[in-house]
Structures are given as C-alpha cells and as structure tokens.
C-alpha cells in the first residue's frame, strides 16, 4: 500500500447539506458536487476531494479544516467577497491580519467560515529569496 499515491478526501461535517452546497457551489464556485448514495456530496479540487457529509449535531473544529492555495490571495479575497464570503480579521500578539491577510513565515493566509462553522483558508506561498 502506497499512501503517497492515494486520493485524499477531506471530510467536512455539515448540519444543513443544502445550505452547505449552496455556499460551496455558489460562493466558492466549485463545480456541482457529486451526490453519493451514503448522503455525502463530493467536490473535486485540484488533486483532492472535499466531501460534505450530513451530521445533524455538526462539529466545532478550532483549527483550519481546508486551505486552498491560490496564486494571488488579494485577488482571490476580492472575488470571494463579491460572492458574499466574509473573511475573519485578527489582532493578537504575533498574529495580525491587514486587509484580511496575515503573513506567516513563507506564506500569506486569510480565513473564513463556511455556513456550517468549518474554518476554511486561502493561502499564497511567498517566493523564497533564493528562488
């Protein structure tokens, strides 16, 4: 078994599948998800899958569940905001966003929640000085 060659699927619990589908398909503009017999809806994103599965009690993660790598984080934020996505802002010691963006070492990142409370992120790699 070679896990490094396996398809990766991120599993996200949702209380309201219709509401979650609307967000992922309209606001995030993912292609229409594939409804599976077990009730989950699967989206193909790059080389991975994101699966929304119904869970009436939901789940509350305190961490980023999914991060989408983008080439231009500011353009991606503007595009998502035009479709109603609301980004989080932070002003904590050692962790501050400016225009929704926080620089973390070798990347820029911006966070938002889906309607189910899952924490999602955009991130842009910062080229190294040696590149």
């Amino acid at each position: 078994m070679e896990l490094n060659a396996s398809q990766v699927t991120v599993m996200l619990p949702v209380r309201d599948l219709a509401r979650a589908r609307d967000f992922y398909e309209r606001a995030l503009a993912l292609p229409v998800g594939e409804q599976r017999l077990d009730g989950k809806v699967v989206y193909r994103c790059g080389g991975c899958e994101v699966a929304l599965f119904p869970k009436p009690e939901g789940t509350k993660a305190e961490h980023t569940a999914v991060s989408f790598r983008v080439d231009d984080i500011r353009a991606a934020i503007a595009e998502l905001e035009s479709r109603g996505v609301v980004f989080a802002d932070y002003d904590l010691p050692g962790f501050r966003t400016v225009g929704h963006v926080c620089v973390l070492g070798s990347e820029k990142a911006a966070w938002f929640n889906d309607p189910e409370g899952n924490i999602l992120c955009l991130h842009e790699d910062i080229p190294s000085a040696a590149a």
Side-chain angles (χ1 to χ4, degrees):
M1 169 177 67
E2 294 186 37
L3 291 180
N4 65 326
S6 297
Q7 174 69 50
V8 173
T9 302
V10 176
M11 305 293 290
L12 295 177
V14 298
R15 291 178 301 273
D16 184 332
L17 187 59
R19 178 177 64 188
R21 286 191 76 169
D22 177 65
F23 179 80
Y24 282 83
E25 295 172 15
R26 181 194 49 76
L28 300 188
L30 297 184
V32 173
E34 177 188 336
Q35 181 81 46
R36 301 280 175 89
L37 293 176
D38 62 1
K40 72 178 167 269
V41 176
V42 178
Y43 298 93
R44 301 208 188 287
C45 300
C48 298
E49 295 177 330
V50 174
L52 306 178
F53 68 95
K55 186 171 183 183
E57 66 278 10
T59 321
K60 178 66 173 143
E62 298 294 329
H63 62 275
T64 301
V66 177
S67 187
F68 298 92
R69 186 173 63 204
V70 296
D71 293 329
D72 182 342
I73 197 165
R74 299 223 182 264
I77 289 169
E79 184 176 332
L80 291 179
E81 283 184 322
S82 77
R83 293 196 293 261
V85 174
V86 177
F87 284 83
D89 286 306
Y90 303 97
D91 190 1
L92 305 167
F95 190 84
R96 183 172 182 256
T97 54
V98 175
H100 310 308
V101 176
C102 183
V103 177
L104 299 167
S106 63
E107 70 180 16
K108 299 174 188 175
W111 295 268
F112 58 99
N113 290 72
D114 73 5
E116 305 299 310
N118 295 304
I119 301 169
L120 308 179
C121 179
L122 300 178
H123 71 274
E124 175 188 339
D125 292 336
I126 298 172
S128 67

